[in-house]
Amino acid sequence: MDQNTIDEGKTIAIISYITLIGTLVAYLMNNSKQNEFAKFHIGQALRAWLTGILVTIIAGMLVSITGIEILMYLQYTGLILAILGLINAMNGRMEEIPLVGHIGKKAS
C-alpha cells in the first residue's frame, strides 16, 4: 500500500476508533472512497468495540455470580484495544489489534 492511500485514509481510520458510533460514521464516510487503509482500521475498530461489549457483559455476569468485583476492570478491554488500534492508525500502520484482530479474516 502506498503512502498516498495511507494519508488519504488516516482521518477516517482515526474517527473509527472514537466509540462505536465513530466506527459507523467512518464506515459511511469510507463507503464512497473505498480506501483500503481506512477499511482495515474500521474493521479493527469494530472488533475492538464488539469485544468490549461482550467482555463487559460476561464480566458483569461473573461479578454477580462470584462476587469478585475486581473482574469489573475487564470492562476496559474494548477501550484498551481501541487505543492500541488508534495508535496504529495515527502512525500509518496496518497492524491487527491483539487477541481479536484476526477474527473474521479470510485465510490466504
Side-chain angles (χ1 to χ4, degrees):
M1 178 173 308
D2 63 347
Q3 189 62 36
N4 190 37
T5 304
I6 292 171
D7 290 340
E8 288 176 358
K10 195 178 275 192
T11 302
I12 296 173
I14 290 169
I15 290 171
S16 71
Y17 290 105
I18 303 172
T19 73
L20 190 55
I21 294 171
T23 305
L24 177 62
V25 169
Y27 174 78
L28 294 174
M29 288 173 65
N30 194 46
N31 206 14
S32 61
K33 296 179 182 182
Q34 295 296 316
N35 182 287
E36 286 299 314
F37 182 75
K39 184 178 178 181
F40 172 82
H41 281 286
I42 291 167
Q44 294 295 299
L46 185 61
R47 288 175 183 89
W49 293 123
L50 292 180
T51 300
I53 291 168
L54 183 65
V55 169
T56 299
I57 292 169
I58 292 170
M61 288 190 294
L62 287 173
V63 168
S64 66
I65 292 170
T66 64
I68 303 172
E69 292 185 13
I70 198 163
L71 293 175
M72 281 311 293
Y73 286 109
L74 292 173
Q75 70 183 341
Y76 297 110
T77 303
L79 179 63
I80 292 167
L81 292 175
I83 289 170
L84 292 173
L86 176 64
I87 291 168
N88 285 335
M90 290 184 345
N91 291 327
R93 295 191 310 247
M94 287 182 60
E95 293 181 21
E96 295 176 347
I97 58 174
L99 306 174
V100 295
H102 65 283
I103 294 175
K105 290 199 168 204
K106 296 179 184 174
S108 32

